[in-house]
Amino acid sequence: MYVSARSDYALRAMLTVAAGGAVARDGVHGPGGELVKAASLAHAQGIPRSFLQGILVDLRRAGLLHSHRGTEGGYALTRPADQITVGDVLRAVGGSLTTVRGLPAERAGYHGAAVGLRDVWLAVHGAIALVVDHTTLADLLARTERPAAR
């Protein structure tokens, strides 16, 4: 699996918003959390601001972020952090988790001696999906709250 800078930045941005605790409910800022401005996200995670803007648009279009305009505006999660998976974020900014020659793994086709390769790529895709679709933003934030094992 190749993790692009775009995917890495998207996850880092979502984790930063999640850490702020802002969750939008029916388009209204949720209780207890702070909206996070794009400039703050870029600075906090060392992400080029112009690159981040496109990522935030993709995350908003995918229904993962809600944007609030104005001087007091910023970004909030559309759902609680324990309901947004790493897989949700990766698919929002990168499409299919596994590609073969630029196509989703399930569209790979072979013939002759190579026919078994499709099954390998689908198994790889399934293994990746198993991990990223069962790891939430809340899971990752919880890991930052406890000391790392040595």
Side-chain angles (χ1 to χ4, degrees):
M1 174 180 179
Y2 171 75
V3 179
S4 67
R6 183 176 188 79
S7 295
D8 182 59
Y9 289 164
L11 283 163
R12 290 164 48 192
M14 289 292 288
L15 286 165
T16 302
V17 174
V23 178
R25 300 262 187 241
D26 299 324
V28 179
H29 177 263
E34 295 296 320
L35 294 174
V36 182
K37 296 186 181 303
S40 296
L41 285 171
H43 178 73
Q45 290 297 323
I47 302 170
R49 203 167 173 188
S50 59
F51 194 37
L52 179 62
Q53 291 297 339
I55 292 168
L56 294 172
V57 167
D58 287 345
L59 294 169
R60 190 175 46 78
R61 284 185 183 150
L64 299 176
L65 282 181
H66 182 80
S67 62
H68 300 268
R69 295 187 181 268
T71 57
E72 299 301 315
Y75 290 89
L77 300 179
T78 57
R79 303 186 305 263
D82 65 353
Q83 295 177 18
I84 298 174
T85 68
V86 170
D88 293 332
V89 178
L90 293 176
R91 287 181 187 93
V93 297
S96 182
L97 296 175
T98 311
T99 60
V100 178
R101 298 181 318 270
L103 297 173
E106 55 273 4
R107 292 188 46 203
Y110 297 96
H111 59 276
V115 76
L117 277 176
R118 183 173 191 273
D119 293 337
V120 171
W121 303 145
L122 291 175
V124 168
H125 177 80
I128 292 169
L130 185 65
V131 173
V132 300
D133 289 340
H134 289 90
T135 305
T136 67
L137 298 180
D139 294 334
L140 295 173
L141 289 174
R143 291 178 188 178
T144 64
E145 295 170 1
R146 64 177 191 254
R150 289 190 180 247

